Amino acid sequence: MSDRLARNWSVQLKLSLLYQLLATAAFLAFAFILYQHFDRSLRSDFDAYLESKADGIEESIHTYWAAEGLKLPDPAAKGPPAGKRADSAEFERIARSWADDQGETPPFLMVAVRIFSPNGAIIVASPRIESGIGLSQETLARASAGDSRFETIQIQVKNGARLSFRMYTRPVKFGDSIVYFIQVVSSLKR
């Protein structure tokens, strides 16, 4: 009788262990799929936020031009008059406020903004941008061609650690000419 009980216990133990193994595997598969979906969704929302921030700044630039009475005089115009662009102290002062404005940005995002001239020179930049984050030649070339671009970069900071940043760069046009590039940057650390 004890031999039969031991065999039954052995079968019950085996079935119990098999059930636990299958439940664990199913749970792990579900957790992996859920994590992948959450990660993809979070990245998509983050990119949409960076793009939205650039939209707001571009809209502010166009509003500034409209307030200054800038209109395209003819189809061959190569951008707004020089005094209304990067070499204007008034434009730089206003653009600095756009770069510094965090609005409703959650503090943990630490968003920084830079506005570049068509040759890639910085016009204004948020004070909290990490040194080492630049406008790469590839990004400059693509933006000069009229393309917006997302990219993730890694830089080494003072203590030797590597930090990842997500950037969105977009050209701003006046008529058919590109007159600025807007770049929105945020750390992926948090």
Side-chain angles (χ1 to χ4, degrees):
M1 173 137 174
S2 67
D3 188 37
R4 197 173 107 200
L5 195 59
R7 257 185 281 148
N8 283 343
W9 176 253
S10 175
V11 170
Q12 287 176 343
L13 180 63
K14 289 177 185 177
L15 286 175
S16 177
L17 289 175
L18 179 64
Y19 172 76
Q20 287 179 355
L21 183 65
L22 290 175
T24 301
F27 176 75
L28 289 175
F30 175 74
F32 178 77
I33 291 168
L34 184 64
Y35 174 80
Q36 291 297 319
H37 174 72
F38 181 71
D39 183 56
R40 195 174 319 115
S41 176
L42 191 58
R43 288 181 187 275
S44 175
D45 288 348
F46 190 63
D47 284 353
Y49 177 77
L50 294 177
E51 190 172 14
S52 172
K53 183 77 171 172
D55 287 343
I57 293 170
E58 182 177 6
E59 186 177 311
S60 296
I61 290 171
H62 288 291
T63 301
Y64 170 75
W65 288 340
E68 292 293 318
L70 297 176
K71 294 186 176 36
L72 287 172
D74 60 66
K78 293 292 183 191
K84 305 296 183 183
R85 286 192 12 198
D87 54 357
S88 164
E90 179 66 16
F91 177 81
E92 189 175 327
R93 184 184 64 77
I94 292 171
R96 185 162 308 288
S97 71
W98 299 327
D100 292 341
D101 180 28
Q102 287 296 300
E104 295 181 16
T105 302
F108 64 87
L109 285 182
M110 298 185 296
V111 174
V113 174
R114 294 190 297 185
I115 300 176
F116 295 91
S117 67
N119 65 2
I122 295 175
I123 297 170
V124 295
S126 298
R128 64 198 152 279
I129 198 157
E130 285 285 336
S131 60
I133 297 177
L135 185 63
S136 69
Q137 291 301 317
E138 181 183 351
T139 301
L140 180 60
R142 289 186 61 182
S144 296
D147 296 332
S148 297
R149 179 177 187 188
F150 284 103
E151 59 188 316
T152 301
I153 64 163
Q154 286 191 351
I155 63 168
Q156 191 165 349
V157 292
K158 294 174 187 169
N159 64 2
R162 297 190 65 76
L163 294 178
S164 295
F165 292 86
R166 187 73 171 155
M167 298 189 316
Y168 176 67
T169 307
R170 103 150 17 132
V172 177
K173 293 184 177 183
F174 187 83
D176 292 334
S177 299
I178 295 172
V179 292
Y180 300 116
F181 302 119
I182 299 170
Q183 188 176 68
V184 183
V185 182
S186 185
S187 171
L188 294 175
K189 182 179 180 179
R190 297 181 189 215

